[in-house]
Amino acid sequence: MPAVNNVLVVGGGLAGTATAILLADSGVTVDLVELKPDAAALGSGITLQGNALRVLRQVGVWPQVSQLGYAFDTLGLRAPDPAGTLLAELPDHRTGGADLPATVGMYRPDLARVIHDRARQVGVRVLLATSVEKLTSDDSGVDVVLTGGVSSRYDLVVGADGLRSHTRQLIGIDLQTQPTGMGIWRAFTPRPAQITRTDLYYGGPSFIAGYCPTGPDSLYAYIVEKAQDRSALTAQQRLDTMRELAAAYHGPFDAIRDSLTDPATVNYTWFEAHLLDRSWHRGRVVLIGDAAHACPPTLAQGAAMALEDAAVLAELLLAADAVDDGLWEAFMDRRHDRAGQVVSASVQLGQWLLEGHRGADVPGLMGRIAALVSTPA
Ligand SMILES: Cc1cc2nc3c(=O)[nH]c(=O)nc-3n(C[C@H](O)[C@H](O)[C@H](O)COP(=O)(O)OP(=O)(O)OC[C@H]3O[C@@H](n4cnc5c(N)ncnc54)[C@H](O)[C@@H]3O)c2cc1C
């Protein structure tokens, strides 16, 4: 008998949907509420590292991810010079195991559609354009009021509603999310045929420029700068700004810059980070994914950490026969330090760039995190 029979998941991102699938697939009744009316409506690309792929395979969507995404096993380093000179081609760690690629790039809306289809297939009741208004947790369950006033009782509520988690507020946790000092321009564009993996350009007028193929015909490109208030720019000005910044990057970036013509494909976001102290639960409400820990995408590990939370939480709930302190201790023992190390390494990498720290051991830090996440969570 699992520790729970019926669960409410708040948030239909990767953390929430993966948790819902893993529980429902083992017979738990799961409702999933997602604020957006269409979970797959918006987004750019995402870099999925091997340890994220390992959980996506467990969730049952690896065939679709491998078919729709773009897999690769090396990382290129290029100079911000007029030729975009290739400096190094590094084999990437296969952190999900030898039978999965090191990395898959994917269009976020495709990934959202695939996991939501899978959730429905295993019997998750998905309620879109819905949220939680009230939560009251006691020893045996949680009374919940959903949007529109519908009341229900659940054995457990999983708050997987992202960086600015509403569930976190409802259970009285005040977590300070900090900007890390960097901002990222991203654009979703056609993939020039010569781009078959991620290349990173360090330096030039911005800190980093790079790209990641997301499918046979698409990629996302990005440029990381010192965080600025870009909120007053119009869509056309955002496009113009990204094109101007991209003018310093050459080689394959020339073709990307030429294809940057649609203002709707460009967005700008600041990097932010936080880590919730253990424990991530209050009564029978638990926070996972970005709601509990968030990192800048300097290691592209945020989604992987969110998926790992889901896998570990579901495994523990299915193996235990009670929701008790032992279960929460075990969850924190497997998740808190691991996610914390990824958050601090991701912040550190950005900090070294902000400080212009030339002697920093970037490969060493990246190697340590790759070794850490290569062991299943
Ligand atoms: C610029 C940028 C680039 C990134 N690139 C990468 C990358 O390449 N690789 C990587 O691994 N990670 C990347 N990340 C991090 C990654 O996107 C997140 O770590 C990951 O999406 C977290 O998943 P999640 O399910 O916890 O949260 P989210 O993906 O934020 O999902 C939360 C869901 O909850 C919903 N929601 C919010 N409020 C409510 C509510 N009140 N009620 C119901 N539902 C609600 C939201 O609509 C959303 O669907 C990046 C982050 C940023 C900012």
Side-chain angles (χ1 to χ4, degrees):
M1 257 286 273
V4 287
N5 291 313
N6 75 331
V7 170
L8 173 70
V9 176
V10 186
L14 288 171
T17 313
T19 308
I21 294 168
L22 292 168
L23 292 176
D25 204 22
S26 290
V28 177
T29 301
V30 184
D31 289 349
L32 185 155
V33 292
E34 165 55 51
L35 193 59
K36 287 184 284 195
D38 176 358
L42 288 172
S44 170
I46 186 162
T47 300
L48 297 165
Q49 308 287 6
N51 57 322
L53 303 177
R54 179 164 50 213
V55 181
L56 289 169
R57 181 173 61 187
Q58 195 183 337
V59 162
V61 297
W62 171 238
Q64 296 90 326
V65 168
S66 60
Q67 190 210 336
L68 294 167
Y70 195 101
F72 49 96
D73 282 307
T74 56
L75 173 72
L77 296 181
R78 289 183 180 272
D81 63 18
T85 305
L86 183 63
L87 302 171
E89 192 176 20
L90 309 170
D92 226 345
H93 297 266
R94 288 191 164 208
T95 55
D99 53 348
L100 287 168
T103 310
V104 167
M106 198 161 174
Y107 182 45
R108 280 184 188 251
D110 280 350
L111 181 57
R113 184 172 44 75
V114 161
I115 57 165
H116 274 250
D117 286 352
R118 176 73 181 147
R120 290 192 179 89
Q121 189 189 25
V122 298
V124 175
R125 190 167 71 116
V126 179
L127 303 167
L128 296 173
T130 306
S131 184
V132 172
E133 287 183 0
K134 201 171 165 206
L135 294 171
T136 314
S137 184
D138 58 44
D139 286 350
S140 61
V142 191
D143 290 315
V144 177
V145 180
L146 297 180
T147 309
V150 180
S151 300
S152 307
R153 185 169 172 83
Y154 296 92
D155 294 339
L156 180 76
V157 172
V158 179
D161 46 353
L163 198 70
R164 297 186 213 293
S165 171
H166 177 57
T167 310
R168 198 171 65 220
Q169 287 169 21
L170 287 176
I171 58 174
I173 296 177
D174 182 21
L175 180 61
Q176 297 300 317
T177 305
Q178 299 292 343
T180 69
M182 291 175 147
I184 185 168
W185 290 96
R186 285 183 298 168
F188 190 70
T189 74
R191 180 180 72 87
Q194 85 256 36
I195 293 182
T196 56
R197 58 147 194 258
T198 288
D199 286 337
L200 295 174
Y201 301 65
Y202 282 98
S206 304
F207 294 116
I208 312 170
Y211 40 76
C212 173
T214 48
D217 304 321
S218 64
L219 61 71
Y220 74 101
Y222 43 92
I223 298 178
V224 179
E225 65 171 19
K226 195 167 182 340
Q228 300 177 45
D229 182 358
R230 300 286 200 177
S231 57
L233 298 185
T234 64
Q236 183 60 46
Q237 286 169 329
R238 284 201 294 273
L239 173 69
D240 294 344
T241 306
M242 185 161 180
R243 283 182 61 96
E244 275 165 33
L245 293 172
Y249 303 102
H250 299 285
F253 226 106
D254 289 328
I256 294 174
R257 189 175 47 257
D258 290 347
S259 68
L260 284 176
T261 53
D262 179 1
T265 64
V266 175
N267 71 52
Y268 182 70
T269 320
W270 280 14
F271 287 174
E272 296 177 287
H274 62 215
L275 174 67
L276 181 58
D277 288 340
R278 61 189 295 171
S279 181
W280 296 348
H281 79 288
R282 296 291 183 274
R284 283 179 169 248
V285 182
V286 61
L287 302 174
I288 62 167
D290 273 13
H293 49 80
C295 49
T298 44
L299 285 165
Q301 271 292 329
M305 289 298 107
L307 286 163
E308 287 188 0
D309 286 352
V312 173
L313 180 63
E315 181 197 316
L316 292 172
L317 289 169
L318 293 170
D321 48 21
V323 178
D324 57 16
D325 288 348
L327 184 143
W328 296 127
E329 285 291 311
F331 183 52
M332 284 297 87
D333 286 349
R334 285 172 65 182
R335 294 309 304 153
H336 184 272
D337 286 0
R338 182 165 164 126
Q341 286 190 57
V342 168
V343 171
S344 57
S346 304
V347 172
Q348 179 69 79
L349 285 170
Q351 195 59 33
W352 281 336
L353 289 169
L354 281 163
E355 291 166 358
H357 195 317
R358 294 208 166 263
D361 183 15
V362 173
L365 185 58
M366 285 181 159
R368 278 198 298 284
I369 294 299
L372 173 77
V373 302
S374 293
T375 310

